[in-house]
Amino acid sequence: MPSRKTPDQSQQSLFELGRADPAPSSLPSPPLGERAQPISEERATPKTYAVSELVKLAARTLEARYGVVWVEGEVSNVSAPRSGHLYFTLKDAGAQLPSVMFRTEAARLKFRLSDGLKIRARGRLSIYEGQGKFQLYADALEPAGLGAAQLAFEQLKRKLAEEGLFEPARKRALPPWPKRIGLVTSPTGAAVRDVLRIAERRGRVRFLIAPCQVQGEAAPLEIIAALRLLERQPDIDVIIVGRGGGSAEDLAAFNDERLARAIAACRVPVVSAVGHEVDFTIADFVADHRAATPSAAAELVVPLHAEATLRLDEAHARLLRAGKRAIGDARLRLDTAEERAAQSARQVIARRRRLIDEQGRRLAALHPRARVQRDRAALVALHSRLLGRLRLILDERRRAFGTAAGKLDALSPLAVLERGYSLARAADGSVVTQATQMKPGEAVTVRLSRGELGCRVESVDPGSPPPPGPKETTE
């Protein structure tokens, strides 16, 4: 791992690095770190350096020559191992400069270093002896063109938004009638006076104040501690976190990531009331509700007493109307139940009467006279059914006879001739069914439905041959 180097203040001489004149007659250059001595007539012997000695000498020369420098470029190859040191490369179109920022300085960065970011870095140039690598040891970084605080704000805002901490779906509604309201702010600031003044004007409500610092490096942790102290109180329904207006530096405590996550994890709704209308902090985005000012937060969470009285009167009137409706509905249900009970009683009486009548009919049916009447009626019914059956059989026979006669008439050759057909016979009396049975000049007798015709064949047209039938195959 690279070690931190400091310039050796005893080495103040400047030396020029380069090659000696390549001409054979020239003498070698003096070694690095040594002043040139008069050249004797005898050929000088060049000094031989150990690698570590030469690298140290070059590093000291580089540090003494440039000291602290500012360099601007684009960041790439950012690496942050567990040691806490920050390694990256600064580059432009023509070159690259390996750079390192040690843990102590890296912890003070207000923004997250990432690839592609253009920055200005302050540090000193040196050589890491372990690898003989030329690099910049940075002790301060700032974005080029954008303030570090604003860049850190935008980076944290984007990070928390991607995690869903700003989603409206996760934010909770404010309680309409809070029992007790928590207030996280400075006890001496204008915010606490504004909140209490507005709350007293709107109506009676109890506040529990958790005092804390609202600016400075220690403010985020104090605000978080006060918030957690309030949310542990069982009767706290909502918490206001805020302060009055100020510069961007004054409001920086409310852009802390730890505070944002504490607000998101709070068990009760949180209202952020930081600064003025135009001021926006990370706490505003992650809180369940944002108020433009502490006074606006008080108006948001404290119900107006006059409105509450009006709502109570309206609720009382609605309750009376609802009571009257309930009494009317109950009376209607009672009347309905009474009518249903009376109707049910009437139905029970009617069923009992029908049962008594049925029993009386059964007793009358068991009398001998009734049995004789039933037998006589059964005999009459049987006679009627028998006659009806005989008539049905006769009708069926007549219909069958008519159907058979119709079929016979349809199959009669005379009926066929009646439809316009004729029957041709040869001289030997055989029936002619094909034209090829006859020859021109032969006599033929044609039978019509009435009478016969004696004809002679003039010509014979064999007609189209019949289509071939299916062929039989044998295996």
Side-chain angles (χ1 to χ4, degrees):
M1 182 174 60
S3 60
R4 306 185 70 170
K5 299 293 183 180
T6 58
D8 187 350
Q9 300 300 326
S10 64
Q11 297 276 346
Q12 296 297 330
S13 301
L14 300 179
F15 299 95
E16 187 175 80
L17 300 179
R19 292 187 176 183
D21 187 353
S25 61
S26 63
L27 296 177
S29 301
L32 294 174
E34 297 183 1
R35 294 186 180 275
Q37 301 295 330
I39 301 175
S40 64
E41 295 296 330
E42 298 179 358
R43 184 177 183 85
T45 301
K47 180 179 179 178
T48 302
Y49 293 90
V51 173
S52 59
E53 183 182 4
L54 185 62
V55 171
K56 286 181 180 180
L57 185 59
R60 291 173 181 175
T61 303
L62 187 63
E63 293 169 358
R65 170 67 178 84
Y66 290 99
V68 176
V69 297
W70 282 91
V71 59
E72 181 174 319
E74 181 181 330
V75 176
S76 65
N77 302 323
V78 177
S79 174
R82 297 177 64 180
S83 64
H85 304 321
L86 195 59
Y87 299 93
F88 57 96
T89 300
L90 285 176
K91 66 179 183 178
D92 57 17
Q96 296 185 358
L97 176 60
S99 306
V100 60
M101 175 177 261
F102 292 109
R103 177 174 57 249
T104 303
E105 289 82 4
R108 291 199 295 265
L109 277 180
K110 294 183 178 180
F111 62 94
R112 183 171 58 87
L113 196 64
S114 59
D115 290 350
L117 191 65
K118 192 172 183 180
I119 66 169
R120 295 177 67 243
R122 186 189 69 186
R124 56 186 178 81
L125 296 172
S126 187
I127 297 176
Y128 172 41
E129 297 175 7
Q131 297 180 355
K133 183 172 67 174
F134 168 69
Q135 62 185 12
L136 173 71
Y137 291 84
D139 57 24
L141 303 178
E142 64 181 32
L146 183 65
Q150 182 63 27
L151 178 60
F153 176 86
E154 296 297 337
Q155 288 180 340
L156 180 58
K157 180 181 175 183
R158 182 165 56 252
K159 176 183 177 181
L160 298 181
E162 291 173 354
E163 294 182 16
L165 266 65
F166 300 166
E167 289 296 326
R170 61 159 293 276
K171 299 190 177 184
R172 296 159 291 186
L174 296 176
W177 302 102
K179 297 178 183 177
R180 205 176 190 190
I181 299 172
L183 181 57
V184 177
T185 190
S186 170
T188 59
V192 65
R193 294 193 298 271
D194 292 342
V195 170
L196 296 179
R197 177 174 51 84
I198 297 298
E200 184 178 1
R201 187 179 66 192
R202 291 179 65 86
R204 297 177 181 177
V205 67
R206 294 190 301 160
F207 276 86
L208 184 60
I209 302 175
C212 62
Q213 294 186 40
V214 291
Q215 70 183 62
E217 293 186 2
L221 293 180
E222 288 200 18
I223 297 172
I224 293 172
L227 178 67
R228 290 175 176 169
L229 179 63
L230 283 178
E231 75 168 322
R232 288 197 295 268
Q233 305 304 314
D235 58 347
I236 293 294
D237 296 321
V238 62
I239 297 175
I240 299 175
V241 178
R243 58 156 292 158
S247 65
E249 292 76 13
D250 295 337
L251 306 182
F254 295 90
N255 290 326
D256 189 87
E257 181 177 356
R258 296 165 296 180
L259 175 58
R261 296 189 183 280
I263 291 175
C266 187
R267 72 168 183 86
V268 298
V270 176
V271 176
S272 176
V274 181
H276 298 300
E277 178 72 33
V278 296
D279 297 322
F280 279 89
T281 65
I282 295 297
D284 292 329
F285 293 109
V286 76
D288 296 283
H289 296 270
R290 185 245 177 189
T293 62
S295 299
E299 293 180 350
L300 188 64
V301 300
V302 179
L304 189 61
H305 183 73
E307 292 181 357
T309 303
L310 179 60
R311 291 178 183 176
L312 184 61
D313 293 340
E314 292 176 351
H316 182 261
R318 287 196 300 269
L319 183 61
L320 288 178
R321 291 194 297 269
K324 291 179 180 179
R325 285 197 300 269
I327 294 173
D329 293 341
R331 182 177 291 113
L332 178 61
R333 288 194 298 272
L334 181 61
D335 294 342
T336 303
E338 182 180 0
E339 177 61 27
R340 288 178 179 174
Q343 184 178 2
S344 177
R346 289 193 294 269
Q347 291 175 351
V348 170
I349 294 173
R351 285 197 300 271
R352 295 296 174 86
R353 285 177 178 173
R354 287 195 297 271
L355 182 59
I356 293 173
D357 293 341
E358 180 67 23
Q359 294 295 336
R361 286 192 295 271
R362 289 181 181 179
L363 289 174
L366 294 176
H367 196 275
R369 186 183 302 122
R371 185 169 183 176
V372 171
Q373 292 177 352
R374 287 198 302 273
D375 292 343
R376 183 179 293 117
L379 182 61
V380 171
L382 182 61
H383 182 266
S384 299
R385 287 199 299 273
L386 180 60
L387 291 179
R389 183 61 179 169
L390 289 176
R391 285 194 294 271
L392 181 61
I393 292 173
L394 289 176
D395 291 341
E396 289 178 353
R397 298 291 183 171
R398 290 191 185 96
R399 285 195 297 273
F401 180 77
T403 301
K407 290 181 178 179
L408 288 175
D409 185 60
L411 295 175
S412 172
L414 296 178
V416 174
L417 295 178
E418 286 288 342
R419 292 197 297 272
Y421 292 94
S422 60
L423 179 66
R425 293 182 181 275
D428 58 359
S430 61
V431 177
V432 179
T433 60
Q434 298 182 13
T436 55
Q437 292 181 237
M438 305 300 295
K439 296 179 180 179
E442 290 183 343
V444 61
T445 302
V446 179
R447 172 69 182 273
L448 304 175
S449 62
R450 290 184 177 81
E452 293 182 347
L453 298 175
C455 303
R456 188 173 299 279
V457 177
E458 295 291 337
S459 63
V460 176
D461 182 4
S464 300
K471 297 182 178 180
E472 294 184 359
T473 60
T474 59
E475 298 183 357

